[in-house]
Amino acid sequence: MLGISQGELGAALGVTFQQIQKYESGANRIGASRLFDLVQVLDVPISYFFEGMPAMVGGAIVPDTASDTPLGYMNGDTLRQRETLDLVRAYYCISDPGVRKRVMALLKSLASEE
């Protein structure tokens, strides 16, 4: 669907195309870290892998981002925007946890000004 072959995907992830086939068929499970790698390589939001999931998963209610919560202004489209993905990637490229914390505080203070 995304125009990448199993071989290319395997090479990008550092696994064989046979391993990709096992993931695709469900013969092998995909761990959280591998799923994160897939998101980065395929340049898709994590929700791409969970389309059609029920609102209740494992007894927990999945939060509705379109509700009246503080993030109520966000919707699925907001989370899929390239700008959002770039922001999250840049944030996690900051290796110093103290700097990340200050960046988060800055973003929150700027958001509250609006």
Side-chain angles (χ1 to χ4, degrees):
M1 267 177 56
L2 297 174
I4 185 169
S5 72
Q6 289 177 337
E8 292 168 330
L9 182 58
L13 293 173
V15 299
T16 64
F17 79 91
Q18 291 94 340
Q19 183 63 38
I20 299 298
Q21 288 176 331
K22 290 177 183 180
Y23 289 149
E24 189 175 15
S25 69
N28 286 4
R29 291 183 180 207
I30 299 175
S33 62
R34 179 70 70 207
L35 187 59
F36 180 77
D37 294 341
L38 279 167
V39 164
Q40 291 185 313
V41 168
L42 297 176
D43 195 26
V44 296
I46 194 74
S47 60
Y48 176 85
F49 295 102
F50 298 98
E51 289 179 2
M53 292 283 293
M56 182 165 288
V57 178
I61 297 174
V62 178
D64 178 7
T65 57
S67 68
D68 292 325
T69 65
L71 297 178
Y73 64 90
M74 296 178 68
N75 59 38
D77 291 335
T78 303
L79 299 175
R80 289 187 177 121
Q81 289 180 359
R82 177 94 175 146
E83 180 181 28
T84 305
L85 295 172
D86 289 344
L87 178 63
V88 171
R89 284 187 185 121
Y91 175 80
Y92 283 107
C93 284
I94 301 170
S95 60
D96 185 329
V99 173
R100 273 200 315 265
K101 187 176 181 179
R102 290 192 302 274
V103 168
M104 182 61 73
L106 172 64
L107 291 172
K108 287 179 178 179
S109 71
L110 291 172
S112 65
E113 290 178 7
E114 292 184 8

